[in-house]
Amino acid sequence: MGIENRVALITGSASGIGKKTAFRMAQNGAKVVINDIVADNVEQTVDEFKKEGLAVIGKVADITKKVEVDRMMNETVETLGSLDILVNNAGMERAGALRNLTEADWDITINVNLKGAFLCSQAAHNHMVSQNYGRIINIASRAWLGGAGQAPYSSAKAGVVGLTRVLALELGRKGVTANCVAPGLIHTPLWDDLPEKNKAFLLSKQPTGKLGDVDDIANAVMFLADDQSGYITAQVLYVCGGRSLYSG
Amino acid sequence: MEVVRDKIALLVGACDEVGQAIGVRLAQKGATVIVCDTDYARLSILAEQIRESGGNAEANPVDSTSSVDVKRLVGDVIKQYGKIDILINNADARFGKPVGDASDEEWETGIRTNLNPVFFFCREVIPKMQAQKYGRVINISSLDYIGWPGRSSYSAVKSALFGLTRSLSLETARDGVTVNCVARGDVATSEMSPELAAKIGESLPVKRIGRPYDVARAVGFFASDWSKYVTGQMFFVCGGKSAHFSMSI
Ligand SMILES: NC(=O)c1ccc[n+]([C@@H]2O[C@H](COP(=O)([O-])OP(=O)(O)OC[C@H]3O[C@@H](n4cnc5c(N)ncnc54)[C@H](O)[C@@H]3O)[C@@H](O)[C@H]2O)c1
């Protein structure tokens, strides 16, 4: 029941939302794979988790590179025996007005958020289909609905929603579900660095008047990753304090 | 996992199989469940079942189409327990006819039995939740809201739940109250023949029909502390069927 003894790989999990999600999944009995592009952070995260007595291994890989992704998935299955849960969490944003955005801004944002989710899902689904079981959870964003200054990011996250629906339709018959969690404003270190003026502006558009925390996202991911969530697929679960309804 | 320990839950429309599964699930996770419906005999059996499986439950019959009786019931619960933390509106009477054949009375019955109760309960319970700065409201809708031939009035009522949910969620967002909709897709009940259940299952992306428990688990998430930053949402438990439609995201 739950996620106990399941092998869960969370991309970009040496920081922020991914790290907390990985931690909570490990606490709940999953065997967790920490992935990130920043090797030092992977090592440090694995050490931290091990000190807490949690089952964890680390895999450094750039999810925008097919060879690195394929190697990571194969090594995971070799070491831990299977791959049951994939959380496509690694992401980043280059924001700016249309006229200021560069081709490089577009490419990197699309590559990390969208191509990375595609490559990881493609590599993971082979293992999931062969065992007739899998849970894919893609971290999209409330911002997929569109936001001024967010052309590459909104486009990438909208792509993630479309990808999720395709995965659900293609893999449903093989016991694999695919869903999105769409976070709104979440309290991560990035937030603390914002000027007070920006914080006040963002909060004024928030129906709850509050930020969410990383645990709110971890909870949603664990709900969807559960053994017993097999009848839930192709969905977008917004964890955004009502921001998807209203932008003031 | 998600818990609802020491919470008082009011479950309206408890007697159908989805309602029963929700009651059992919430009680298992630690809530005291007040099960409401029209049929006292069936309610008592359900409450007894929940208690036998180690949970707390009480049967309280109500005519949910009467605002007077809804007010009476909510008053009773507050008097006895001092609060209501979770409200689940599950009353669901399925009906439908080609539009030319539907009488005034059938249209009005649809609204009276499927929509008015949700409004009456929300009106009585939500201000109390706002005052205590905590509440979870879950309205059970149906994927049929999306439009179905011969089901226009049912779809209209189920769509209305979505607008109600969104408006109420914005109204209560700063008060620690969340309001969400769980829309059920195809769910097998004991009345359905196994052949029909299998046929429907085959038509769905996950290749199986849902069970009442699938819906109950999702309700459990929205009723718990795990979902405190989730409000105003329509969440489908439908084996992926919603991916065939455009309105479902
Ligand atoms: N924080 C928020 O408010 C918020 C809101 C909406 C959506 N999200 C989404 O949630 C996810 C996590 O965000 P976060 O705030 O925790 O970010 P974060 O920056 O703290 O963590 C993202 C991690 O991804 C890693 N990463 C980046 N490129 C990579 C690559 N090519 N290969 C492997 N790893 C890579 C980074 O090194 C970093 O450790 C992202 O997808 C983000 O878009 C966040």
Side-chain angles (χ1 to χ4, degrees):
Chain A
M1 228 182 89
I3 56 172
E4 220 169 314
N5 291 322
R6 296 289 182 190
V7 175
L9 188 149
I10 300 104
T11 67
S13 51
S15 164
I17 290 171
K19 184 171 175 179
K20 192 62 193 272
T21 301
F23 190 79
R24 292 276 309 282
M25 290 181 113
Q27 274 185 325
N28 279 277
K31 298 174 209 160
V32 160
V33 185
I34 302 294
N35 153 264
D36 210 283
I37 194 172
V38 187
D40 287 353
N41 294 353
V42 171
E43 199 181 319
Q44 196 190 326
T45 303
V46 169
D47 285 350
E48 276 176 41
F49 282 32
K50 279 193 174 151
K51 278 201 193 100
E52 301 283 330
L54 299 172
V56 62
I57 63 170
K59 292 280 167 216
V60 180
D62 176 350
I63 55 151
T64 69
K65 305 258 164 56
K66 182 169 162 58
V67 277
E68 295 188 28
V69 168
D70 288 352
R71 196 186 58 223
M72 168 171 76
M73 298 296 174
N74 289 331
E75 286 176 6
T76 296
V77 174
E78 269 164 35
T79 316
L80 298 176
S82 78
L83 177 58
D84 306 306
I85 300 166
L86 168 66
V87 185
N88 283 310
N89 164 79
M92 48 80 63
E93 172 164 23
R94 291 275 174 85
L98 213 45
R99 65 189 147 83
N100 296 332
L101 288 163
T102 64
E103 187 178 355
D105 292 333
W106 175 266
D107 286 345
I108 190 167
T109 309
I110 298 288
N111 282 345
V112 175
N113 292 286
L114 183 54
K115 183 183 174 189
F118 166 72
L119 290 176
C120 291
S121 303
Q122 193 186 38
H125 101 281
N126 290 322
H127 303 291
M128 292 177 172
V129 162
S130 68
Q131 66 187 13
N132 246 299
Y133 183 88
R135 298 277 180 267
I136 299 175
I137 296 117
N138 295 325
I139 308 300
S141 169
R142 198 276 322 162
W144 85 274
L145 296 166
Q150 295 191 293
Y153 187 71
S154 287
S155 306
K157 294 299 193 185
V160 168
V161 174
L163 173 67
T164 305
R165 289 163 66 98
V166 172
L167 294 171
L169 291 170
E170 262 187 56
L171 306 178
R173 62 175 60 242
K174 293 294 184 185
V176 180
T177 65
N179 293 287
C180 277
V181 172
L185 272 190
I186 304 298
H187 195 176
T188 53
L190 274 182
W191 172 263
D192 295 323
D193 298 340
L194 286 178
E196 289 305 319
K197 204 174 92 216
N198 298 22
K199 288 185 187 171
F201 174 77
L202 288 168
L203 285 175
S204 74
K205 290 184 172 292
Q206 192 58 43
T208 51
K210 280 189 200 147
L211 298 174
D213 54 52
V214 283
D215 277 298
D216 293 322
I217 308 302
N219 292 340
V221 172
M222 288 206 290
F223 163 56
L224 295 168
D226 197 287
D227 275 1
Q228 295 183 39
S229 289
Y231 200 57
I232 299 172
T233 193
Q235 303 309 314
V236 180
L237 176 51
Y238 290 88
V239 184
C240 64
R243 178 70 164 79
S244 65
L245 316 184
Y246 173 82
S247 58
Chain B
M1 293 265 108
E2 81 279 8
V3 288
V4 285
R5 198 157 304 288
D6 301 327
K7 301 289 189 231
I8 305 298
L10 191 56
L11 171 57
V12 185
C15 281
D16 72 8
E17 287 172 49
V18 169
Q20 290 175 26
I22 294 170
V24 169
R25 174 79 184 174
L26 291 179
Q28 272 174 354
K29 290 287 171 184
T32 296
V33 187
I34 293 96
V35 291
C36 314
D37 212 316
T38 43
D39 185 339
Y40 185 61
R42 286 173 65 190
L43 273 182
S44 303
I45 294 169
L46 173 60
E48 191 52 42
Q49 273 171 359
I50 293 176
R51 284 194 294 264
E52 272 170 14
S53 64
N56 293 324
E58 181 199 308
N60 202 327
V62 67
D63 173 6
S64 56
T65 66
S66 151
S67 61
V68 175
D69 204 34
V70 168
K71 199 178 172 77
R72 187 271 312 157
L73 171 79
V74 171
D76 282 358
V77 175
I78 294 288
K79 207 158 154 199
Q80 186 169 351
Y81 297 96
K83 61 172 186 169
I84 297 171
D85 302 299
I86 300 166
L87 168 65
I88 293 153
N89 288 303
N90 179 54
D92 181 53
R94 297 184 167 233
F95 58 94
K97 276 193 178 158
V99 67
D101 300 340
S103 65
D104 288 6
E105 204 197 322
E106 279 155 348
W107 171 258
E108 278 155 16
T109 303
I111 293 181
R112 202 170 61 242
T113 54
N114 278 329
L115 188 55
N116 287 357
V118 182
F119 170 69
F120 294 154
F121 273 99
C122 287
R123 185 173 58 184
E124 294 306 321
V125 173
I126 284 179
K128 298 185 167 58
M129 290 178 166
Q130 287 178 291
Q132 74 195 14
K133 297 286 175 215
Y134 186 91
R136 297 281 181 272
V137 179
I138 299 114
N139 298 323
I140 311 297
S141 183
S142 161
L143 188 56
D144 286 359
Y145 96 100
I146 217 145
W148 226 245
R151 283 262 175 112
S152 54
S153 31
Y154 184 71
S155 299
V157 167
K158 291 295 164 181
S159 300
L161 286 182
F162 198 14
L164 189 70
T165 298
R166 290 168 65 106
S167 302
L168 294 176
S169 74
L170 291 171
E171 216 168 293
T172 60
R174 286 175 187 257
D175 302 322
V177 177
T178 68
V179 188
N180 291 289
C181 228
V182 170
R184 44 183 278 193
D186 299 289
V187 174
T189 57
S190 48
E191 284 147 37
M192 191 183 276
S193 75
E195 294 76 29
L196 179 60
K199 192 172 156 223
I200 294 171
E202 197 46 43
S203 74
L204 302 174
V206 296
K207 300 294 162 198
R208 75 157 172 93
I209 195 166
R211 299 156 307 198
Y213 180 72
D214 294 316
V215 181
R217 259 204 81 246
V219 171
F221 172 77
F222 288 99
S224 74
D225 287 343
W226 272 30
S227 59
K228 72 180 182 336
Y229 204 54
V230 183
T231 195
Q233 301 305 319
M234 176 78 126
F235 188 74
F236 299 89
V237 181
C238 64
K241 188 174 180 179
S242 71
H244 297 305
F245 308 110
S246 62
M247 279 174 68
S248 56
I249 39 181

